[in-house]
Amino acid sequence: MSANATADLVFTNGAVYTVDAARSWAEAVAVQGGRIAAVGAHADVEDLIGAGTEVVDLRGRMLLPGFQDAHVHPVLGGLDLLQCDLHDAGSLPEYERIIREYAEGHPAATWIVGGGWSMDVFPGGTPTKDVLDRLVPDRPVFLPNRDGHSAWVNSRALEIAGITRDTPDPADGRIERDGAGEPTGTLHEGGMTLVGDHAPATTPEEMHQGLLKGQAYLHSLGITGWQDAIVAADEQTNNFDAYLRAGASGDLTARVIGALWWDRKRGLEQIDDLVALRDRGEAGRFAATSVKIMQDGVCENFTAAVLEPYLDADGHPTQNRGISFVEPELLKEAVTRLDALGFQVHFHSLAERAVREALDAVEAALTANGASDRRHHLAHIQVVHPDDIPRFRQLDAVANAQPLWAAHEGQMDELTIPFLGHPRATWQYPFASLARSGATLAMGSDWSVSSPDPLEEMHVAVNRVMPASYPYRVDNREVFIPEERIGLADAVAGFTMGTAFVNHLEDRTGSIEPGKEADLIVLDRDLFAHPVDEIAEASVQLTLVGGERVYEDPAFQ
Ligand SMILES: [Zn+2]
């Protein structure tokens, strides 16, 4: 910027929370050429205001760095919004209405696909095919649940996939059956692909539309960048090419790091393919420099990897310790090789054995390759053994938290706590313990598993109680493990600098400082000036990426 140049845009009279190292406040920000030119008091930006400068009086509203989501599936989420979408409903009658209306509204669709149902709506968490058979008797229906680990299917879908009482469970999944062994209409984990592989692949144009829809929704929530937690270029899922197309054309306004999917059915030989994808995986604001390794499943269907076996409904130990999708020694080898090749590893590590296996693998890489600054990160971290908490900092592994799940609700109270048992159920989502240990916290949503609204997620991180807007049943509004609540400042940092760090973008984004990209959002209120149990009531009114408006609410003016 030359000395006498003027700003394109100036915000004044705001509650500007910069998230710089000192976590300082300001009242005014000047933007020029897509970057932040000045931050401070009104006097500090006054000289930059010229005839062509747009001056916005924030009237006390809050200005924050754009939110960044460390684990999200925006293309799938966008497709969900365009398909048979059950996410915002919370009861069987609502599901039935949505499915019926969608089927009627899409008479040409050969399959009914979409999803987002919640396990707590159904006895034992497993819906049955008869409901779908009644609503859609003639066409196959394939509806994954909101966490993507189980699917609800009808008889036509089972028939097309050739699934009968004689079909064995796949090694990496399960077919839900009645007492006589007949499939009942729910498929878990690898069992889902038995039907899913028959569904028509999403076309490149649908993927493109899904990405744009997802991006628009995330921008409306103040999200300016993310890490896509599954990027693949195979026939069933090809969001990789969607990102390349949108990145090259400029349609991709968000800053995105893609985590390339590690195929757990293959071994180290796939690393060459990942390198090839990374080499052609840079376009505009997109780069594919991370690799996603899914190490376990989820607690609700007992596929999350635990150290001691799950309990049964009567509180007695079972034989089941969940699934390690990648054999731990292979995991160490894979992470060591990926680390040496410059990849970051993004783990799905949900329960305590998977967390330990992931940390062991990071440790193996560190021992073999030395410190690498790859910023490997462990997502979900629902159950962490207390002995492993200090290892995050020791190994420079980032804790990638999805805080919306850290509260009492149906899936937690009925399908998780009784089966984890004591004290393990109290080891859940130990965000304050991790922060105290010096670990770096990044935050994300895992949308379309659950809401991508960072304000709702920060609300739970701080309160450990679901916000009123949560669409599913919440019977218990007690604080969930109160000692693991974190402060609002730490929650904001998790969704800004924390994720910017994971994406290696902390030099350019994540805080409001001169020289950084003007990725900025305006909230309707100063979050810090209101009670913490009102965080989720705040709303985003304006989102800028690189100084460009990518979302504006009518209320902003
Ligand atoms: Zn995910």
Side-chain angles (χ1 to χ4, degrees), residues 66-107:
F67 293 134
Q68 302 189 36
D69 189 316
H71 181 118
V72 63
H73 308 278
V75 186
L76 298 178
L79 284 168
D80 276 347
L81 294 175
L82 300 168
Q83 294 174 340
C84 182
D85 182 18
L86 304 177
H87 283 88
D88 291 331
S91 70
L92 185 54
E94 288 174 86
Y95 292 166
E96 292 191 26
R97 178 185 55 77
I98 293 166
I99 295 164
R100 189 185 314 109
E101 286 176 4
Y102 185 86
E104 284 169 7
H106 295 79

Side-chain angles (χ1 to χ4, degrees), residues 71-73 229-230 292 348 380 405 446-447 449:
H71 181 118
V72 63
H73 308 278
I230 299 180
K292 166 74 173 300
H348 168 123
H380 305 333
W405 308 342
D446 208 6
W447 185 56
V449 171

Side-chain angles (χ1 to χ4, degrees), residues 68-71 227 290 339 344-350 354-355 358-359 362-363 366 372-382 384 388-402 430-431 434-435 437-444 490 493-506:
Q68 302 189 36
D69 189 316
H71 181 118
Q227 183 157 140
S290 189
D339 178 272
Q344 170 188 85
V345 179
H346 177 162
F347 297 92
H348 168 123
S349 47
L350 190 132
V355 169
L359 291 170
V362 172
E363 187 170 353
L366 196 64
S372 64
D373 200 32
R374 304 283 182 251
R375 306 174 187 181
H376 305 305
H377 48 120
L378 281 70
H380 305 333
I381 49 173
Q382 178 168 352
V384 182
D388 289 321
I389 298 249
R391 298 181 71 203
F392 283 79
R393 182 194 164 190
Q394 287 157 12
L395 300 170
D396 290 330
V398 178
N400 184 339
Q402 282 65 62
F431 306 146
L434 284 161
S437 78
T440 298
L441 253 71
M443 291 189 170
D490 286 339
F495 273 104
T496 53
M497 278 305 274
T499 299
F501 179 79
V502 165
N503 280 351
H504 289 90
L505 285 172
E506 81 280 10

